[in-house]
Amino acid sequence: MEHYLRTCDIHKDEQLTKFCKDHSRLCCSKCVDHRQCNQLKVLSEVKMQSSDLKKLSVRVSNTLSRLKKLQRYREDSRNAMRSSYAEFERNKVKKMRLNVQSFLVQCDDTSMNETFETVEYRVDKIRQKVNLLLTDFENCSIKERKEELKLKQAPLISVIKTCIRHHGELLRLHEAMQKVKDQPELSLIAYYKCLDKIQQCEIYMNENFSDELFSVQGVSKYKVRIFRDSNTCSIDAVCALPDGQVLVADCENDKVKLLNQQYQVVSHWGVNAMPWDMCLITPSEAAVALSDHAVQFVTVTQSKLVPGRRLQLQHDCRGIVHDQGDLFICSNTALYKYSLSGTLVCRLYEDTSASLTVYKCAVSPTGDRLYITGRYHQKLLTLARDGTLLATYTDPVALSGPSGLHVTPAGQVLVCGYVPHTVLQVVWEGQSKLSTLATQKDGVRYPESVCYSSTTSSIIVGQRLDDNILVFRVE
């Protein structure tokens, strides 16, 4: 353990002996970049606070969790890709077989008046030829698809392997840090090696969020109004469940509705306030932000909606998102962080210069970025997890009155422009637009909510005063 910690990460044959305070870096005798630094000290002279170790332990745990999450997302994408290719091949081959069989039946029917010997000879020849064609087709088709699948899987496999490697290295350093906490010099080395590894992981995870553009292949409308609705629907929130079902929050009719895989309403639950937003807590449980300053939990059980516990808060609950056991709640002018039990942790961000400056929120897959729509100021804000403002995006043409937003498992950022009737894809850093995915020409009108379903490869859009949701098929 000591040899592992003391070995210089750059010069593997050297041991760490000094610490550069100018750059907060560990050094060996060959690390020439730091020889001219003013504060180059031997390790025994450097002191570290125990509070630093506690803070680092929290960062290590968060980073390990985020690495696992990124790994799972890429594994899910790979599995979905493989399943899609397999299904395509099965259908294509099945169709070819049916066509061949139909052709052979026709050949048999047209040969009824011929002698038995002639028919037998001709049909055998036809069968031989068709079987050869079918074999060539299957081999060629499967080979081509496998090559294509191999190429598309390669970047996913690379990310998965790198996540596993980073996770193992950081975990080993963290375990070492715990074992040597009573040895000041080794503890110092473990601390800075952990810190360096965390920075490497964060850079890698940020670089591997996809800004791959969605390509819209088509759009369909599905009615979500039921006979018990007294008003025209307004779908203020959409959540796609992993099994293909969809939850929608109908603000005008005070209902949460469950849609099956065909987007038909199969269950609904009436609330005593307007459901303004919604987020998933588990694959079958959602938290609903209500207009009466409350958060209501609801579970999907056997295609039925079952209400659970309720949290009563002291402020508006306009937007809500969950990540790593934390609830982030928008109150029109501030962003708060709560525990799942309802304990207020802190106020992360506030803008009281107008109303609806903190409208809806979303979180990146690794949890290090929060996205906020400011309806009044017509801005998309990107914050660090501690509330630090990282980026601001404005577009008076395409993003006037930004409303609902969503971040996909791959990190693609989707946001609705309420007034210009648009759905945009924004770069993951949050400072500019990548593409306009849908406009009023595609049927978009006052969009309030957006959600991506990786199960169906579709973007679902809910709108103000519209009995239908829009489902865009995307690649």
Side-chain angles (χ1 to χ4, degrees), residues 286-299:
V288 185
L290 301 175
S291 60
D292 61 353
H293 298 187
V295 174
Q296 175 70 56
F297 292 84
V298 60
T299 302

Side-chain angles (χ1 to χ4, degrees), residues 275-321:
W276 275 340
D277 201 8
M278 188 165 47
C279 68
L280 289 184
I281 305 298
T282 71
S284 60
E285 184 185 31
V288 185
L290 301 175
S291 60
D292 61 353
H293 298 187
V295 174
Q296 175 70 56
F297 292 84
V298 60
T299 302
V300 179
T301 304
Q302 297 180 343
S303 296
K304 298 291 183 183
L305 293 175
V306 180
R309 61 196 178 93
R310 176 185 172 98
L311 304 177
Q312 194 64 47
L313 309 182
Q314 302 300 313
H315 54 75
D316 284 329
C317 302
R318 174 66 69 171
I320 187 169
V321 69

Side-chain angles (χ1 to χ4, degrees), residues 139-151:
N139 290 339
C140 180
S141 175
I142 291 173
K143 185 177 179 181
E144 288 177 358
R145 298 292 290 182
K146 281 185 177 178
E147 287 297 321
E148 185 180 1
L149 178 60
K150 184 178 179 181
L151 289 173

Side-chain angles (χ1 to χ4, degrees), residues 54 86 93 99 102 116 124 133 213 244 246 248 288 311 320 325 334 343 356 386 406-407 421 432-433 444 452:
K54 291 179 181 178
V93 173
N99 290 338
S102 176
F116 177 78
D124 282 344
L133 289 172
L213 275 172
V246 177
V248 297
V288 185
L311 304 177
I320 187 169
T343 302
L356 303 183
D386 63 359
H406 176 76
V407 182
H421 318 294
S432 62
K433 181 183 75 173
V444 178
Y452 172 72

